[in-house]
Amino acid sequence: MGVSRLSGGAQMRKEINKQLVGWIRERARTSFGGDISLVAIYGSHVNGTDQEWSDVDCYFIPKTDRGWEFAADFLLAGVGYDVFPLSWERARGIAQLKEPLVPLVGDAVVLYAGSPEDASRFQALQEELARCLKDRAYCC
């Protein structure tokens, strides 16, 4: 009985997280269109390892000063969520392995891109990260 309850809880959390992802995408598109370069998610929700207490790991890259207001932290059904800002410069540092936050770029899925150029810029960072990780002289 305990296993099925956990499964039910995990399934409920997946549904909550799915709805939250839709809300984040819609909020970026409508309320912050033009103010956000990119919104990305990563982590257990993306890679399918989410459990009963898993959140949605989400960050955004602001385009304007108003874009910083997209940040949010809140509780949903007992789990804390944080939608946090990241600059393009910091994302590039991650891609260049200058910070140990590789999943933020390497395993991220773009929910929203403010323009095709923003989407291309992020894809270029993912490609740069992949090159750095393959280069033993660079990363080791």
Side-chain angles (χ1 to χ4, degrees):
M1 183 173 257
V3 172
S4 68
R5 197 173 72 189
L6 178 62
S7 296
Q11 189 59 39
M12 183 177 91
R13 179 60 53 191
K14 284 183 182 199
E15 184 57 34
I16 289 170
N17 289 345
K18 181 180 171 186
Q19 290 178 20
L20 178 64
V21 165
W23 175 78
I24 291 170
R25 181 184 290 120
E26 188 64 14
R27 183 172 178 244
R29 189 181 68 74
T30 59
S31 299
F32 286 87
D35 294 306
I36 302 289
S37 290
L38 191 92
V39 179
I41 59 173
Y42 64 99
S44 63
H45 183 73
V46 170
N47 65 33
T49 61
D50 43 349
Q51 301 294 319
E52 184 173 0
W53 299 105
S54 296
D55 65 348
V56 173
D57 297 301
C58 180
Y59 69 91
F60 65 97
I61 299 176
K63 188 177 284 194
T64 67
D65 286 342
R66 182 177 178 276
W68 291 89
E69 296 174 21
F70 190 73
D73 55 5
F74 47 88
L75 287 172
L76 282 177
V79 173
Y81 291 81
D82 183 28
V83 179
F84 64 93
L86 190 76
S87 67
W88 280 113
E89 293 75 23
R90 189 155 184 215
R92 182 144 195 246
I94 293 167
Q96 295 173 343
L97 303 177
K98 294 177 181 175
E99 295 193 49
L101 303 169
V102 171
L104 273 72
V105 174
D107 296 333
V109 172
V110 174
L111 288 183
Y112 170 83
S115 69
E117 294 79 19
D118 290 329
S120 293
R121 186 175 182 184
F122 187 73
Q123 183 177 356
L125 289 178
Q126 288 183 313
E127 292 166 2
E128 182 176 9
L129 173 61
R131 281 190 304 276
C132 290
L133 290 171
K134 287 180 185 177
D135 184 348
R136 292 178 72 60
Y138 183 82
C139 71
C140 300

